[in-house]
Amino acid sequence: MFRTALRNVLAHKARLLMTVLAVMLGVAFVSGTLVFTSTISQAYQKSSAKGFDRVDVAVTAEYREDRGNTVGKPVRLTQSMLDKSAKVPGAASATGVLTGFTAIADKDGKLVGSGWQSEGGNYWGTEDARYPLVHGHAPRGEDEVLIDSRTAERAGYKVGDKVRLSVDGPVLEPTVSGIFTTDDGNVAAGGSLALFDTATAQKLFGKPGTYDEIDVKAKPGTSQTALRHAVDQALPKNLVETTTGKKLADDQAREISSQMSGLRQSLLVFAYIALFVGTFIIANTFTMLVAQRTKELALLRAVGASRRQITRSVLIEAFVVGAVAGVTGLVAGIGIGAGLRSLMGTLGATVPDGPLVITPGTVATALGVGVVITMLAAWLPGRRAAKIPPVAAMNAIHAKATTKSLVLRNTIGALFSAGGIAVVLAATTMDADAAKGPMGLGAVLLIIGVFVLTPLLSRPLIAAAAPVLRVFGVSGKLARQNSVRNPRRTAATASALMIGLTLITGMTVMAGSLQKSIDRMASSAIRADYVVSMANGNALSPDVAKNVAASDGVTASSPMRDGYSRIDGTSELLRGVNGSAIAELTDLKVDDGSFKVGGSQVVVDSDTAKAHHWKPGSAFTVHYEDGKQQKLTVAGVYEGNDLIQGIMLDNTVLTPHLTDPADMRVMVKTAGGASDATKDKLEKALGNNPAIQVQDKQDLSDSVAKMFTLMLNMVYGLLAMAVIVAVLGVVNTLAMSVFERSQEIGMLRAIGLDRKAVKRMVRLESLVISLFGAVLGIGLGVFFGWAAGQLLATRMDTYELVVPWARIALFLLLAGAVGVLAALWPARRASRLNMLSAIKAE
């Protein structure tokens, strides 16, 4: 039986080619993901570990948590703590470390690197071992700065050049005093790093006389544990936290591994979707191969082969196919992993240098997935073949499905579908967090149910295309009959395409609806012409609001200044605004009371008011972060949203209690309204700062649209693999169907059907099957998009379902194109059959 199985694989290698390709693509996706994530994970870990080589003990400040009505705030690491750390037994030196956001502009005024990777820090003394100088000297005073060598190369800076940069507001133009190299992971990943002398860094980052961290280096012979114990004895207890360099490196490695794990899982989801789609092709292929070899299998049964041996022979064939697909998929996956790494460099997201990592686990997973998926998909056709009685098989009366089996299949499908719909509908009435599990379960049940019902659904849906197919005469009529001749085969072929389009359509509906909702939120909540904010989402310097207010043509402006407080023992966000102008800059719906902000009067969003049982006229005591308290009165309750929420009070009341005032955004109203000229004036007033963005409502909408478009394109790209696999399935099914119907096609040719008509028949059959799968997929995708939107609507008052009809029409056209393209080879093969040889074929 083993030799028989191998002989069958070699005899049908052309028919198994598409199956091998389908499995290979899925395995390549899996192994490519594992190679890619392992490679960049190891590269980042090695790069970050170098940064801890010079740190034996790190001292950081403990954060005091909120207790009672006291607002928690970080302890500052002072100069005296640094001096004590340097003098402990076993310490060779101690370095004060400062970090903060610093945006560097290139010579064209554009931001270098992505916002969150634009860092700044301090250079310790005249020679800092952390940052070896390549050119120039250490910075001296506010007018000098060091920049990393990668940024200098990308932006074209050299020692002596003036460089434009910003920390949190106004543009600075210091001179580049030197260029250094660094092992910093952010720089290796495409970011930038600027270094100032310590005094300047403390001033710029709002930390005068203090540090973010103290790094202590041990003397030779002193262990990190012993040094840490000595530092603990020297510094105040319960104010600072000490960590050894080894633990820092280990923690960093775990964090990187965790981040890569999230990326790996996300990519693997799409890889397994492709493999899941591939199972339909495998099952279809082996079902047809078994059907074509029924008499052969019956003869084997007649000469003594048992049912188990027949099943085992089919599984051996599947094992060989899976092993070949696994090996080729692994090789292709290694290439994909290397290609993804190179692609990141092309897109500007560089990765630290390091070798391509191919772990034993990656090899085992690739081979295991290829073999297991193939054998599981082939098991049912093999089992079905083994159950056919030898005499019945030899008389060719085995192929018809019994009425009982069809009724059972349809009943199971109906129950699964009904259960799935019921669970999804029930989930839409739940809280968003609680509904995730039921929603996923319902979706799985419904997809399984529709798949089981697809043979039943194929007849009425394909019959609906009959009027169109009649236009093509005999070819159209034959194509419709061929499409429903074997409903199970048609269903398996269409289901592969259905799954891909379900996911694509669902994501498209959700993204379009979210975009519309955020557009409505921006237009309904904001009357301001412009919103000024940092490009990386960090806080703005209060100087920005002052410069904006003094700009020509500005009629009203208000910074949105965040502060934290304790009210009745709970933490609450305070939002400082310009009380006299905020009503003119926003258009928030007031549920109760009046929108009046000034003195001790505040307005509160409805969620906060509900939590504290407040209404207009309610008084409460707020405890500020400086420890002082004040009695405030609720003037009104408004409907908050993701853009604007919290307890609004006048900045003249809030700011005196803030240690480090900072604004998340500044809202601006101008005399002439939003225009390019007005925007240019505002940007000029802010020094054409690369780190600050001035956006009108359309800009806000476009930035959101850009994010959703990027997300959708990524999803489309990842799901493309599943669609390609589905296309291979259509090609495979048609090719084997043509072989199966060789005698019939020969007879049609003999009675007058020409080659063009035969080609047209096969193409139309493929087109109908593809559109059938597309209609099911789009229908399910819209339903799931609607259901997910119901959960989002509980958190977004402006949520509105948007069905992208134009894009759905495009999906249908693409599905039709897929059908036509998939039929090119099978149609050509069918038209070239020799009619006499085909008629005589068994």
Side-chain angles (χ1 to χ4, degrees):
M1 294 304 295
F2 180 74
R3 289 196 299 271
T4 302
L6 291 180
R7 186 207 67 194
N8 284 326
V9 171
L10 295 174
H12 302 122
K13 52 183 177 292
R15 297 181 222 172
L16 289 169
L17 177 62
M18 293 298 174
T19 302
V20 171
L21 282 175
V23 180
M24 185 203 76
L25 286 173
V27 172
F29 202 161
V30 172
S31 55
T33 295
L34 296 175
V35 169
F36 171 65
T37 52
S38 297
T39 297
I40 60 175
S41 177
Q42 187 178 100
Y44 274 118
Q45 285 178 15
K46 287 184 176 179
S47 176
S48 63
K50 290 180 183 177
F52 297 112
D53 288 346
R54 292 175 290 273
V55 179
D56 290 310
V57 174
V59 182
T60 54
E62 262 194 6
Y63 186 86
R64 290 179 177 174
E65 295 185 0
D66 300 339
R67 294 178 182 176
N69 284 318
T70 302
V71 179
K73 53 186 176 180
V75 176
R76 298 289 189 183
L77 298 179
T78 63
Q79 184 65 39
S80 64
M81 292 180 182
L82 176 65
D83 295 338
K84 289 179 181 178
S85 299
K87 294 176 182 177
V88 300
S93 63
T95 303
V97 178
L98 289 153
T99 56
F101 171 71
T102 304
I104 300 177
D106 60 21
K107 292 187 175 181
D108 295 325
K110 295 181 180 178
L111 183 66
V112 178
S114 54
W116 66 272
Q117 292 172 329
S118 301
E119 295 267 336
N122 67 310
Y123 190 83
W124 190 252
T126 57
E127 190 174 341
D128 193 330
R130 298 173 299 169
Y131 308 111
L133 285 175
V134 179
H135 303 291
H137 59 80
R140 297 187 289 251
E142 298 181 7
D143 293 330
E144 292 187 343
V145 66
L146 297 177
I147 59 175
D148 68 90
S149 56
R150 295 193 186 207
T151 300
E153 183 179 350
R154 280 186 293 165
Y157 287 121
K158 59 182 183 297
V159 175
D161 288 347
K162 290 283 187 180
V163 58
R164 291 168 56 81
L165 54 84
S166 172
V167 174
D168 60 2
V171 175
L172 306 173
E173 292 193 12
T175 301
V176 178
S177 67
I179 295 171
F180 63 93
T181 59
T182 177
D183 295 322
D184 188 286
N186 283 336
V187 174
S192 63
L193 180 60
L195 300 177
F196 309 91
D197 66 49
T198 300
T200 301
Q202 288 174 330
K203 179 181 177 182
L204 290 175
F205 301 143
K207 301 160 185 172
T210 63
Y211 303 93
D212 294 317
E213 185 177 308
I214 296 172
D215 291 342
V216 187
K217 182 69 177 172
K219 289 179 179 178
T222 303
S223 69
Q224 291 186 351
T225 305
L227 181 61
R228 180 188 177 191
H229 180 72
V231 172
D232 284 338
Q233 296 297 315
L235 298 182
K237 294 181 179 179
N238 302 323
L239 292 182
V240 299
E241 183 177 349
T242 58
T243 312
T244 62
K246 184 180 183 305
K247 187 174 187 307
L248 286 173
D250 292 343
D251 290 346
Q252 183 76 12
R254 275 194 296 270
E255 183 179 348
I256 292 171
S257 180
S258 175
Q259 292 171 351
M260 289 301 106
S261 176
L263 174 63
R264 183 184 294 116
Q265 288 173 7
S266 300
L267 292 173
L268 285 177
V269 165
F270 292 97
Y272 287 126
I273 288 170
L275 282 168
F276 180 62
V277 171
T279 58
F280 294 107
I281 300 174
I282 300 165
N284 242 4
T285 301
F286 277 92
T287 298
M288 296 174 76
L289 285 175
V290 167
Q292 291 166 13
R293 302 203 321 262
T294 302
K295 288 187 178 181
E296 175 190 326
L297 295 175
L299 181 60
L300 289 172
R301 289 290 314 282
V303 297
S306 66
R307 287 186 176 185
R308 285 186 178 181
Q309 286 178 311
I310 296 294
T311 304
R312 199 178 301 135
S313 71
V314 175
L315 291 179
I316 290 171
E317 292 180 50
F319 174 82
V320 173
V321 171
V324 171
V327 171
T328 53
L330 174 62
V331 174
I334 293 170
I336 289 173
L340 285 173
R341 177 173 171 170
S342 299
L343 179 63
M344 288 186 70
T346 304
L347 297 175
T350 55
V351 178
D353 295 332
L356 202 64
V357 178
I358 306 165
T359 65
T362 298
V363 176
T365 301
L367 296 177
V369 165
V371 171
V372 171
I373 292 290
T374 309
M375 291 183 70
L376 284 176
W379 175 75
L380 189 60
R383 185 170 176 270
R384 193 181 297 134
K387 284 187 173 182
I388 300 171
V391 175
M394 287 180 177
N395 285 284
I397 60 171
H398 60 282
K400 295 181 181 179
T402 63
T403 303
K404 181 180 178 182
S405 69
L406 291 174
V407 170
L408 179 63
R409 179 184 180 119
N410 294 337
T411 301
I412 293 173
L415 290 174
F416 268 87
S417 299
I421 292 172
V423 174
V424 169
L425 292 177
T428 60
T429 64
M430 300 178 184
D431 179 75
D433 292 328
K436 291 177 183 177
M439 182 73 76
L441 175 63
V444 170
L445 290 175
L446 180 54
I447 289 175
I448 292 173
V450 170
F451 167 66
V452 174
L453 283 176
T454 305
L456 178 66
L457 297 172
S458 65
R459 290 186 178 277
L461 288 178
I462 292 176
V468 178
L469 293 174
R470 285 196 196 102
V471 176
F472 299 96
V474 174
S475 296
K477 183 177 180 181
L478 289 171
R480 183 181 66 80
Q481 291 174 347
N482 289 334
S483 300
V484 295
R485 176 186 295 183
N486 191 329
R488 292 186 177 184
R489 184 189 304 164
T490 298
T493 307
S495 294
L497 200 57
M498 176 192 79
I499 291 169
L501 279 173
T502 296
L503 296 169
I504 289 173
T505 305
M507 291 298 298
T508 303
V509 169
M510 285 184 62
S513 301
L514 279 170
Q515 172 65 51
K516 180 71 173 178
S517 305
I518 291 173
D519 286 350
R520 288 181 60 193
M521 185 187 298
S523 60
S524 63
I526 300 175
R527 286 180 182 169
D529 295 319
Y530 294 100
V531 176
V532 180
S533 61
M534 291 290 282
N536 70 330
N538 279 8
L540 293 159
S541 164
D543 292 338
V544 173
K546 293 176 184 176
N547 292 341
V548 167
S551 299
D552 184 34
V554 173
T555 59
S557 66
S558 173
M560 307 289 280
R561 187 164 297 166
D562 286 357
Y564 293 91
S565 68
R566 297 286 287 178
I567 300 172
D568 298 332
T570 60
S571 297
E572 292 294 351
L573 172 69
L574 300 178
R575 180 61 54 80
V577 297
N578 182 347
S580 61
I582 192 63
E584 186 180 350
L585 297 165
T586 59
D587 190 18
L588 297 165
K589 182 181 178 182
V590 179
D591 293 335
D592 200 3
S594 61
F595 199 80
K596 185 177 180 181
V597 179
S600 63
Q601 289 192 308
V602 302
V603 292
V604 185
D605 69 276
S606 53
D607 289 340
T608 304
K610 184 178 179 181
H612 290 278
H613 307 289
W614 291 338
K615 58 184 179 179
S618 298
F620 61 90
T621 300
V622 60
H623 296 261
Y624 297 107
E625 65 179 56
D626 64 353
K628 296 181 181 179
Q629 61 186 55
Q630 183 180 5
K631 197 166 189 177
L632 301 175
T633 304
V634 177
V637 178
Y638 68 92
E639 288 187 8
N641 55 51
D642 289 344
L643 294 176
I644 303 173
Q645 58 186 319
I647 301 171
M648 283 193 205
L649 67 164
D650 198 280
N651 269 323
T652 58
V653 177
L654 175 64
T655 305
H657 302 287
L658 300 179
T659 306
D660 187 17
D663 304 325
M664 296 310 298
R665 63 180 70 91
V666 179
M667 306 181 76
V668 187
K669 189 82 172 174
T670 58
S675 67
D676 290 340
T678 305
K679 185 176 181 179
D680 288 342
K681 283 183 182 178
L682 283 173
E683 289 177 340
K684 190 174 181 180
L686 295 171
N688 292 318
N689 193 323
I692 297 178
Q693 54 188 7
V694 179
Q695 297 177 297
D696 59 21
K697 291 180 184 179
Q698 188 59 48
D699 292 332
L700 289 170
S701 176
D702 290 345
S703 65
V704 174
K706 184 178 179 181
M707 178 183 69
F708 282 123
T709 301
L710 178 63
M711 178 189 71
L712 267 183
N713 289 339
M714 287 176 63
V715 171
Y716 290 160
L718 292 168
L719 287 175
M721 188 70 73
V723 175
I724 291 171
V725 171
V727 173
L728 291 175
V730 177
V731 175
N732 207 29
T733 301
L734 287 173
M736 297 186 74
S737 180
V738 166
F739 178 83
E740 195 176 70
R741 304 199 315 256
S742 296
Q743 193 174 50
E744 174 188 317
I745 293 171
M747 186 64 71
L748 289 171
R749 289 290 316 284
I751 62 176
L753 197 68
D754 61 18
R755 288 186 173 183
K756 285 186 177 179
V758 171
K759 281 184 179 180
R760 193 180 305 121
M761 175 187 72
V762 177
R763 287 172 185 163
L764 288 173
E765 181 181 347
S766 176
L767 180 65
V768 167
I769 292 173
S770 297
L771 289 177
F772 170 52
V775 168
L776 289 179
I778 288 170
L780 286 173
V782 171
F783 176 69
F784 291 141
W786 166 82
Q790 295 302 300
L791 300 183
L792 291 172
T794 61
R795 296 187 174 183
M796 296 179 69
D797 294 332
T798 57
Y799 183 83
E800 177 185 346
L801 178 68
V802 175
V803 180
W805 297 111
R807 191 156 287 193
I808 284 176
L810 178 63
F811 292 160
L812 280 172
L813 286 174
L814 290 174
V818 162
V820 173
L821 290 173
L824 288 178
W825 177 56
R828 186 169 179 270
R829 182 181 176 186
S831 68
R832 290 179 172 243
L833 283 175
N834 183 292
M835 65 182 78
L836 295 178
S837 299
I839 290 171
K840 291 189 296 181
E842 282 288 334

